Amino acid sequence: MGTLGILLSLALLMYLAYRGISVLLLAPLLALLAVLMSGEAALLLPTYTQVFMKAMGGYVIQFFPLFLLGALFGKLMDDSGSARAIAHAIVNKVGSQRAVLAIVLACGILTYGGVSLFVVAFAVYPIGAALFREAGIPKRLIPAAIALGSFTFTMTALPGTPAIQNAIPSPFFGTDAFAAPGLGLIGGLIMFGLGTWWLSAQQRKLMAAGEGYGHHSGEPDSEPADAPRPGFWIALLPILVVIGLNFVMAKQVLPAIDTSYLAKPEFGGLQDARSLIGIWSIIVALSAAVLLLVVLHWARWADLMKTINEGSFGSMLPILNTATEVGYGTVIASLAGFVVIRDLVLGIAPGNPLISEAVAVNVLAGITGSASGGMSIALKTLGAEYLAMATAAGISPELLHRVAAMASGCMDTLPHNGAVISLLAICRLTHRESYGFIAMNTVVFPLVALVVVITLGTLFGNF
């Protein structure tokens, strides 16, 4: 009954989240349903306060700075006109005849620099709509182009990306955002190459069949000619700061600092800083970029305080959603019935923990509809086992990091995923019209890239 309760709880979480009910309510209720079905009715309240809330609070303590700074950076890039400036420059450089490539590159540069995928969607969609309309390209390809540039190679694969999905494995494996750079680059190129090739082929196929942009109500207004927009290099500078400073801090500055004080009880009694350097590096890089944005565009801000407040408040719901899923996963992992599931997952390819890790992260990301939530649950419950298995098999923790990050970005974008729903709403399109194109780019091709990276990592090790 305990294992059945867990499976029923997971099924309800996926179904009800897809129906639009907030995981802030679903996660604790369904976690307690699993506890009840395990025959531990007397432990409902203790489980909620001492297990669920403790795990949820721990996640917020660990990752809140990244969510806060990321949301603030994205809002500043948006309100300063920097995001639009970068998108316009790339579109003008690539040309309307390569509209799909232009949109993918614009989204990729922005998200690789730390701009929130939601900000990118809002900033790039009006540009993409005008470009596709002018070229007569079917509008229903726009969400897939934005998703390819925002939800795939820049989110999980490219080394150094400040996306939260690339930061979550660091405390578990003692790695940083540049883990397995060669393999990450290969995986990212596979996603980018297959995605742009396939979308371009679909464009030609649909246009040859006589389908054009189409007639759509509620189209976005054209951007005013006098809308504030900085020059391309000024707009790009904060992104370069995020990437460059992240690398310098992670590889040179922070490892050279004496962190022996971390062994004191007030600092958690840590023996070394490897589990923290990856997060510290991103915090420093995003903080510097935020300050740079404020200074660079000092005369451009219409209401700087409003921008800062909206950016800060915009971090709340994403981190609380993810933290509640972590609390849910911790409760599930504490139940006796979870032992069956854990042993089943760990038993997949027992000689290669990379395969087991990829399966666990994929399944949980698909169930929760969240890359960060699914990976957090998987690593919270099984991360220590994977690290021990990898050490015994001579597999680098950096390879574990990259596989976990890439696996989180495959099955997460099933139809109930919040980012997919939001993207379709922004583009004013339906699942029926566009989801098939999105799925090929955010589920199928990332799975192909993941298989290649696991194969290369198994054969040649970390690089």
Side-chain angles (χ1 to χ4, degrees):
M1 281 297 293
T3 303
L4 178 62
I6 291 173
L7 296 177
L8 176 61
S9 173
L10 288 171
L12 286 173
L13 178 63
M14 182 165 56
Y15 173 74
L16 294 175
Y18 176 68
R19 300 296 296 178
I21 301 177
S22 171
V23 295
L24 294 176
L25 289 173
L26 287 178
L29 290 176
L30 293 177
L32 295 181
L33 172 64
V35 174
L36 186 63
M37 291 189 67
S38 70
E40 302 287 351
L43 299 180
L44 287 178
L45 289 176
T47 297
Y48 178 66
T49 59
Q50 304 306 114
V51 180
F52 182 93
M53 290 304 300
K54 184 177 179 180
M56 179 180 173
Y59 185 88
V60 173
I61 290 171
Q62 190 168 42
F63 291 109
F64 177 67
L66 302 188
F67 280 86
L68 173 64
L69 290 168
L72 181 56
F73 177 71
K75 185 61 176 174
L76 290 167
M77 286 289 291
D78 189 17
D79 285 5
S80 68
S82 298
R84 294 191 306 276
I86 292 171
H88 275 284
I90 293 171
V91 167
N92 291 336
K93 185 70 174 178
V94 174
S96 60
Q97 71 278 11
R98 296 177 179 170
V100 168
L101 177 61
I103 296 304
V104 172
L105 288 175
C107 294
I109 289 176
L110 289 169
T111 50
Y112 187 47
V115 182
S116 162
L117 59 90
F118 295 104
V119 171
V120 170
F122 277 111
V124 173
Y125 168 59
I127 302 168
L131 191 62
F132 276 49
R133 189 187 308 114
E134 178 184 345
I137 302 171
K139 180 185 177 180
R140 57 198 184 110
L141 294 177
I142 295 178
I146 293 176
L148 175 59
S150 304
F151 302 176
T152 61
F153 57 96
T154 60
M155 187 177 84
T156 64
L158 294 188
T161 177
I164 188 66
Q165 292 79 6
N166 194 35
I168 288 172
S170 294
F172 296 97
F173 302 135
T175 51
D176 57 52
F178 294 87
L183 289 169
L185 187 60
I186 290 172
L189 289 174
I190 290 172
M191 294 183 216
F192 172 77
L194 289 177
T196 51
W197 164 78
W198 187 81
L199 277 179
S200 297
Q202 292 303 301
Q203 172 192 326
R204 293 191 296 269
K205 177 182 176 181
L206 294 175
M207 293 177 72
E211 182 175 346
Y213 183 80
H215 300 286
H216 304 275
S217 59
E219 287 289 88
D221 296 330
S222 299
E223 183 184 2
D226 59 348
R229 204 164 68 216
F232 174 73
W233 290 109
I234 293 296
L236 190 64
L237 184 58
I239 288 178
L240 297 177
V241 167
V242 171
I243 298 169
L245 191 56
N246 186 10
F247 179 82
V248 171
M249 297 301 296
K251 298 298 184 182
Q252 299 178 10
V253 176
L254 292 179
I257 294 176
D258 179 15
T259 56
S260 57
Y261 58 85
L262 290 174
K264 296 180 180 179
E266 59 266 34
F267 293 110
L270 295 176
Q271 297 304 310
D272 60 61
R274 284 183 298 174
S275 63
L276 297 174
I277 284 177
I279 294 177
W280 287 353
S281 301
I282 298 175
I283 289 175
V284 172
L286 285 174
S287 298
V290 163
L291 292 174
L292 179 62
L293 271 166
V294 171
V295 173
L296 279 177
H297 305 287
W298 186 256
R300 194 184 302 276
W301 302 114
D303 189 339
L304 179 59
M305 188 60 66
K306 179 181 178 183
T307 295
I308 291 174
N309 286 338
E310 288 182 354
S312 301
F313 296 150
S315 66
M316 299 301 179
L317 186 58
I319 191 170
L320 289 178
N321 279 338
T322 305
T324 55
E325 290 170 349
V326 172
Y328 171 86
T330 304
V331 171
I332 296 299
S334 71
L335 301 177
F338 182 74
V339 174
V340 176
I341 299 174
R342 184 196 64 192
D343 291 345
L344 180 64
V345 172
L346 291 176
I348 299 173
N352 190 342
L354 299 177
I355 297 175
S356 173
E357 179 187 48
V359 171
V361 173
N362 256 302
V363 170
L364 288 168
I367 289 171
T368 61
S370 167
S372 54
M375 176 166 49
S376 296
I377 293 172
L379 297 185
K380 182 81 173 178
T381 55
L382 298 172
E385 285 88 345
Y386 286 136
L387 185 58
M389 291 168 66
T391 301
I395 295 174
S396 168
E398 290 197 350
L399 192 48
L400 283 175
H401 177 128
R402 187 55 53 209
V403 167
M406 289 182 63
S408 75
C410 300
M411 300 296 289
D412 65 313
T413 47
L414 293 178
H416 62 291
N417 173 264
V420 169
I421 294 171
S422 298
L423 176 59
L424 290 171
I426 291 168
C427 296
R428 299 176 176 86
L429 291 167
T430 66
H431 279 77
R432 181 187 297 271
E433 291 172 310
S434 293
Y435 181 71
F437 302 113
I438 295 174
M440 282 296 294
N441 283 282
T442 63
V443 178
V444 177
F445 296 146
L447 281 172
V448 172
L450 178 61
V451 170
V452 171
V453 166
I454 291 176
T455 302
L456 290 175
T458 302
L459 293 175
F460 303 108
N462 172 61
F463 62 88

